[in-house]
Amino acid sequence: MPTRDPEKLREKRKRYWAARPGLRAELKRIARANPLTWAGTALISLRDRCRRTNTLCTITIQDIQLPEKCPVLGTQFILGVPYHPYGPTIDRLNPAFGYTPGNVTVISRKANCIKSDCTNAEEILKVGRWLQEKLQNTKSLD
């Protein structure tokens, strides 16, 4: 079998995608919107990010379980819309251990932001209690 020139293959791929503007983005959107392919797509992106940031990543696709709803907020996941607040994200339970089996879960982007912006679990509880109190006070004014 003749060996193919990698440079020619690169040029051929470049011409292929240049002749089809928007196709790559549409294919990615379709893959992200499908619950069956979401985990694979997310894992590829995660491994690439971990390689760039030198973060431990030993999980496989079997370690990523996409639930029906966000386990933190109880909201339905929105698939196929990049950076949607209710889109699923792979979260580390303990960031010190990296992305390892047993240390990852899938939660919504909104829940992940709330969790990552706060360094102390007690602070999250304080904000939650404060908000609950404010909402109860607002209801009593009605």
Side-chain angles (χ1 to χ4, degrees):
M1 179 158 198
T3 58
R4 297 184 110 182
D5 182 16
E7 189 59 38
K8 285 183 180 178
L9 283 173
R10 235 178 266 119
E11 285 299 317
K12 186 176 179 180
R13 282 190 204 107
K14 203 175 189 179
R15 285 193 308 271
Y16 177 87
W17 290 112
R20 295 159 179 83
L23 178 62
R24 182 174 273 163
E26 181 63 16
L27 291 173
K28 282 184 179 180
R29 188 194 66 74
I30 291 168
R32 285 187 194 117
N34 184 344
L36 299 174
T37 57
W38 176 85
T41 306
L43 184 58
I44 289 168
S45 297
L46 177 69
R47 284 182 179 157
D48 184 49
R49 189 170 59 249
C50 287
R51 228 183 333 268
R52 283 185 274 122
T53 60
N54 201 22
T55 304
L56 178 65
C57 181
T58 60
I59 60 172
T60 63
I61 199 158
Q62 287 80 22
D63 299 314
I64 303 170
Q65 301 297 321
L66 181 64
E68 290 277 323
K69 295 180 176 184
C70 173
V72 178
L73 302 176
T75 56
Q76 198 74 22
F77 283 120
I78 306 294
L79 295 170
V81 182
Y83 307 107
H84 193 282
Y86 296 111
T89 61
I90 301 171
D91 181 50
R92 295 174 285 181
L93 299 174
N94 186 339
F97 297 130
Y99 293 94
T100 56
N103 192 43
V104 293
T105 187
V106 177
I107 61 176
S108 69
R109 182 171 305 282
K110 189 173 191 174
N112 203 346
C113 287
I114 292 168
K115 182 179 166 278
S116 66
D117 288 345
C118 186
T119 56
N120 184 340
E122 188 59 37
E123 289 176 351
I124 293 175
L125 292 172
K126 284 180 183 177
V127 170
R129 288 187 204 114
W130 173 83
L131 183 59
Q132 186 177 28
E133 183 181 309
K134 291 292 181 189
L135 290 173
Q136 287 175 347
N137 290 342
T138 305
K139 287 179 185 176
S140 66
L141 294 176
D142 291 339

